[in-house]
Amino acid sequence: MLTGTIPSTIAGLANLLFLDLSQNQLGGVIPPEIGNLTYLTHLWVSYNNLNASLPSTLWDLHQLSLLDLSHNYFNDHLISQGIGSLKSLEYFYAQNNTLIGPIPSSIFHLTNLIELNLASNKFSRSILIPHIGQNLVYLNLSSNMLTGPIPFTLFDIVYVNNLYKQVKIDLSHNSFNGQLPITLDLSYAPSVSMDISYNKLIGTFPNFLIALGKANLSYNFLQGMVSDQFLNKFDISVVMGNNKVCGNHPQLHPCHSHSHNQMLKILLPSLSLFLLCFACSILAHHRMTKKNTTGHEKKSDHEHGNIFSIWDYNGKIAYEDIIEATEDFHIKYCIGTGGYGSVYRAVLPSGKVVALKKLHTHEAQQTTLFNSFQKEVEMLKEIRHKNIVKLHGYCLHNRCMFLIYQYMERGSLFLALSNDSEAEELDWNKRLSIIIRVAHALAYIHHHCIKPIIHRDVTTSNILLDSKLEAFLSDFGIARLLELESSYHTTVGGTCGYIAPELAYTTVVTEKCDVYSFGVVALEIIMGKHPGELLNSLWSKSVPPIAIKDLLDSRLRSPLITAGAAQNIVLTLTLAFACLHPNPKTRPTMHHVTEKFSTRKTHLEEFPFNEISIQKLLR
């Protein structure tokens, strides 16, 4: 494995055609002398620690057919005239960096381009796609911060690529807004896959996408009817998260009631306005009083509707519904208690089960916390990730405030690990899946939100499991919220045993504090219990001579009997130990952790599993 930097003397290899430096630990920058390799057709530098700007001479390599910059730390703009000069480029990979700015439209003028992957960067603004080249079969712009409408020219890919090409388009996890076309005469394209989930698209549901082989429109703001043909072809999951769509499926609103509700939304304001004017003409001397009263009532005079249309849902009605469902927050509905509130299970009149995080009364009655709560809700509304517990809504009331969350049937990971039968149900593959899901959730809030978020309390108690034992990160932001405008806002939040060691001498909380907590959680999942004193001896001069096989939860069978489990445990422990480094600057980012999980590659593959010790993983 190569370390250090790429030497400038590489320019002496003037006749080089292929250069593969991938899968090493090279750092620093790509030297500008790279531009002297004018015959180069293939360049791989992926999976290194290269950073800073891309040299302008890189765009002088006009013979390049393949350029792979992925999985590094490049933080530059893509220069429009630079990338546009690579006319021979067929494969361009720059995913999983921190590239910024707009995506230059010149990249779509590269007519030979076959695959383009710019996922998991920090590209922003809208994109302009003048036309789609007839050779393009793979376009991945997911997990950026792109905004604006999705260019209609993108759908030309269905026309310019014939039925026999496998075409994949992924624009998910951005902030695309605006409307999709209501209808489009698409050719039958069973080999085309399009993912536009987790955006902010509005307008009528585009049933014409049934022409595609695969489509995912989940977690947008689309509305209207989803056709029976669409529902018969695709799984219901591809439309979930669009709270205003309707259709003939148990998990969707029936269209007739949806239409009725829409009619009420149209008629009731007009009727209210008429009555208001009539009242004002009779009681002129009470005009201002009536205006104020009516203005107040507009906030609370809605009919009982589906509580999952929650962002314009009425606080007073929500409060009354929840009071009935929980018998005024009776203790028999309480399923957990924390420092700032209690969690209740509530069955709504529709039969839907939700979890309610109710803030303690003395917290709810503070004006500053009331205002902060509203700001926090705005932040939580923007967080939409498949590994984070979904926030359905909130209630503001003069006596209490609560959040309404997706209900997790199996409770917390901490309780599951504490129960022998449930712990045995969490086999090695399930445990490794939980760790990876939590890693992706943290990477999302650290690196892919418009405003990065620090969880501050990553513990097994705040990882919840659904009926399929899939993991969801929960309860982030509230503790931070409650400290923001108080006199003790510099105090350390979090749970003892998971707090990063640097917080003993500083109150500056960074994302590396979450990274440390993740390391503790990963170890706890592998060991089946909190690592305790082991945390103090890691990275010390006297690392205990412990074989990793002796760290494993003894309630489970050996991972050697499950294909791939032992290797994945070695990788997980290696990453966990790196996350637990006492120097926060030395810890990896969660972005880096998720990428290592993706490669599933360790430096100890040649060693027998039972002979690997902690010391070897720390090297």
Side-chain angles (χ1 to χ4, degrees):
M1 182 175 290
L2 300 176
T3 58
T5 60
I6 301 174
S8 59
T9 53
I10 200 170
L13 304 173
N15 296 319
L16 200 63
L17 297 177
F18 295 82
L19 178 58
D20 188 352
L21 299 174
S22 62
Q23 302 280 355
N24 285 292
Q25 293 184 359
L26 296 170
V29 300
I30 297 177
E33 289 79 5
I34 195 81
N36 292 335
L37 306 181
T38 54
Y39 291 102
L40 201 64
T41 61
H42 292 70
L43 175 60
W44 295 271
V45 294
S46 58
Y47 291 100
N48 280 288
N49 297 313
L50 299 170
N51 53 60
S53 301
L54 298 168
S56 59
T57 54
L58 183 64
W59 315 121
D60 295 333
L61 304 179
H62 297 157
Q63 301 301 316
L64 274 182
S65 172
L66 182 149
L67 176 59
D68 190 350
L69 307 172
S70 64
H71 302 275
N72 281 288
Y73 298 95
F74 295 119
N75 56 11
D76 196 9
H77 291 74
L78 281 181
I79 307 301
S80 181
Q81 59 268 34
I83 188 67
S85 66
L86 302 182
K87 302 298 184 183
S88 299
L89 198 61
E90 296 178 341
Y91 301 92
F92 182 34
Y93 307 111
Q95 69 270 25
N96 297 93
N97 282 283
T98 52
L99 295 169
I100 59 175
I103 295 175
S105 60
S106 59
I107 202 169
F108 297 104
H109 287 285
L110 301 176
T111 56
N112 292 313
L113 202 62
I114 297 173
E115 295 189 5
L116 173 62
N117 192 341
L118 302 178
S120 298
N121 280 283
K122 293 188 176 180
F123 288 115
S124 57
R125 307 182 195 174
S126 58
I127 59 173
L128 176 63
I129 303 180
H131 61 86
I132 291 289
Q134 63 180 359
N135 296 310
L136 188 67
V137 297
Y138 181 77
L139 175 63
N140 191 343
L141 306 181
S142 64
S143 298
N144 279 286
M145 297 182 289
L146 298 170
T147 59
I150 293 178
F152 288 2
T153 51
L154 189 64
F155 296 98
D156 291 345
I157 200 168
V158 180
Y159 295 109
V160 301
N161 292 287
N162 60 48
L163 298 178
Y164 303 103
K165 288 184 179 179
Q166 293 292 327
V167 178
K168 181 176 181 180
I169 303 172
D170 191 348
L171 306 180
S172 63
H173 291 93
N174 279 286
S175 294
F176 286 115
N177 48 46
Q179 299 187 37
L180 293 170
I182 297 177
T183 183
L184 204 61
D185 185 20
L186 290 186
S187 304
Y188 179 58
S191 60
V192 177
S193 167
M194 181 177 289
D195 188 346
I196 51 179
S197 62
Y198 290 93
N199 279 288
K200 299 179 180 179
L201 299 171
I202 61 174
T204 304
F205 189 85
N207 286 290
F208 67 86
L209 291 182
I210 193 174
L212 306 184
K214 293 182 180 179
N216 189 350
L217 299 98
S218 60
Y219 295 97
N220 281 284
F221 300 103
L222 300 170
Q223 58 186 335
M225 184 183 71
V226 183
S227 69
D228 290 345
Q229 294 89 341
F230 194 97
L231 292 172
N232 290 334
K233 180 172 182 178
F234 299 117
D235 185 81
I236 186 62
S237 63
V238 306
V239 303
M240 295 302 292
N242 293 284
N243 293 334
K244 293 185 179 180
V245 298
C246 64
N248 188 23
H249 191 280
Q251 296 187 51
L252 296 179
H253 304 292
C255 286
H256 61 85
S257 64
H258 177 78
S259 301
H260 178 67
N261 287 339
Q262 289 296 103
M263 184 65 71
L264 285 177
K265 289 180 181 179
I266 295 171
L267 294 179
L268 285 178
S270 301
L271 180 60
S272 299
L273 180 61
F274 170 78
L275 293 175
L276 176 62
C277 293
F278 180 73
C280 287
S281 66
I282 298 176
L283 303 172
H285 63 283
H286 289 307
R287 183 186 306 168
M288 295 305 299
T289 302
K290 293 298 293 181
K291 280 186 178 180
N292 292 336
T293 303
T294 306
H296 175 74
E297 288 176 0
K298 281 189 180 225
K299 297 179 181 178
S300 58
D301 192 23
H302 290 282
E303 297 293 330
H304 286 262
N306 191 319
I307 197 166
F308 299 102
S309 299
I310 194 68
W311 301 121
D312 58 352
Y313 192 76
N314 168 284
K316 179 180 177 182
I317 303 298
Y319 181 78
E320 293 171 352
D321 287 345
I322 299 303
I323 284 292
E324 182 178 352
T326 61
E327 299 179 30
D328 199 9
F329 294 100
H330 193 282
I331 193 171
K332 70 180 181 181
Y333 296 100
C334 183
I335 57 176
T337 302
Y340 298 105
S342 299
V343 181
Y344 296 81
R345 179 181 184 273
V347 181
L348 302 177
S350 64
K352 193 75 175 179
V353 182
V354 295
L356 309 170
K357 176 90 180 264
K358 177 179 177 290
L359 302 189
H360 293 321
T361 302
H362 64 280
E363 305 286 1
Q365 290 177 343
Q366 297 183 36
T367 303
T368 56
L369 296 183
F370 183 90
N371 295 332
S372 296
F373 179 82
Q374 291 178 300
K375 295 176 183 177
E376 184 73 6
V377 166
E378 292 302 315
M379 180 192 73
L380 293 173
K381 285 163 59 177
E382 300 301 318
I383 298 175
R384 295 185 294 165
H385 189 273
K386 62 182 178 181
N387 303 132
I388 294 176
V389 172
K390 180 176 175 57
L391 178 70
H392 287 308
Y394 63 92
C395 178
L396 304 179
H397 195 273
N398 60 355
R399 285 180 291 169
C400 76
M401 295 185 289
F402 53 81
L403 302 176
I404 306 173
Y405 279 106
Q406 174 185 2
Y407 179 67
M408 295 284 109
E409 294 86 350
R410 299 299 293 267
S412 74
L413 176 60
F414 173 79
L415 291 177
L417 292 173
S418 302
N419 182 288
D420 287 345
S421 61
E422 291 187 33
E424 291 173 7
E425 190 177 355
L426 290 171
D427 59 28
W428 289 120
N429 284 340
K430 287 188 176 69
R431 294 192 189 201
L432 292 166
S433 175
I434 288 171
I435 293 171
I436 292 172
R437 282 174 174 268
V438 174
H440 278 284
L442 288 172
Y444 171 78
I445 65 173
H446 288 179
H447 305 292
H448 301 304
C449 288
I450 296 177
K451 294 182 179 180
I453 298 167
I454 303 171
H455 188 290
R456 298 186 63 188
D457 197 16
V458 180
T459 70
T460 51
S461 295
N462 287 334
I463 298 169
L464 304 182
L465 305 175
D466 68 4
S467 59
K468 299 178 182 178
L469 294 176
E470 294 179 350
F472 297 80
L473 186 63
S474 70
D475 279 0
F476 54 92
I478 299 301
R480 178 169 62 116
L481 158 73
L482 292 176
E483 294 170 1
L484 276 177
E485 299 190 25
S486 63
S487 60
Y488 53 94
H489 68 278
T490 57
T491 60
V492 176
T495 301
C496 183
Y498 299 86
I499 299 174
E502 63 268 20
L503 293 179
Y505 55 83
T506 180
T507 57
V508 179
V509 180
T510 70
E511 76 279 0
K512 291 300 182 74
C513 298
D514 280 353
V515 173
Y516 181 90
S517 301
F518 170 79
V520 179
V521 166
L523 270 187
E524 185 173 349
I525 294 172
I526 296 296
M527 298 173 65
K529 61 182 179 180
H530 190 277
E533 290 300 318
L534 179 62
L535 298 176
N536 298 325
S537 56
L538 286 175
W539 299 106
S540 68
K541 294 181 179 179
S542 56
V543 180
I546 301 175
I548 63 171
K549 67 181 179 63
D550 296 326
L551 291 179
L552 307 184
D553 190 341
S554 59
R555 293 172 293 185
L556 298 188
R557 301 172 68 185
S558 170
L560 292 173
I561 65 176
T562 303
Q567 180 182 349
N568 289 333
I569 287 174
V570 172
L571 173 61
T572 301
L573 289 175
T574 302
L575 293 172
F577 292 154
C579 292
L580 294 169
H581 198 286
N583 184 351
K585 293 183 179 179
T586 305
R587 295 172 203 150
T589 64
M590 292 309 304
H591 170 84
H592 178 79
V593 170
T594 56
E595 290 315 307
K596 289 296 183 182
F597 277 129
S598 298
T599 62
R600 303 290 177 97
K601 183 178 180 181
T602 73
H603 65 286
L604 294 173
E605 293 178 356
E606 68 275 14
F607 289 92
F609 179 78
N610 290 334
E611 296 180 10
I612 300 176
S613 64
I614 291 179
Q615 292 97 322
K616 287 182 179 178
L617 297 187
L618 294 176
R619 290 175 184 170

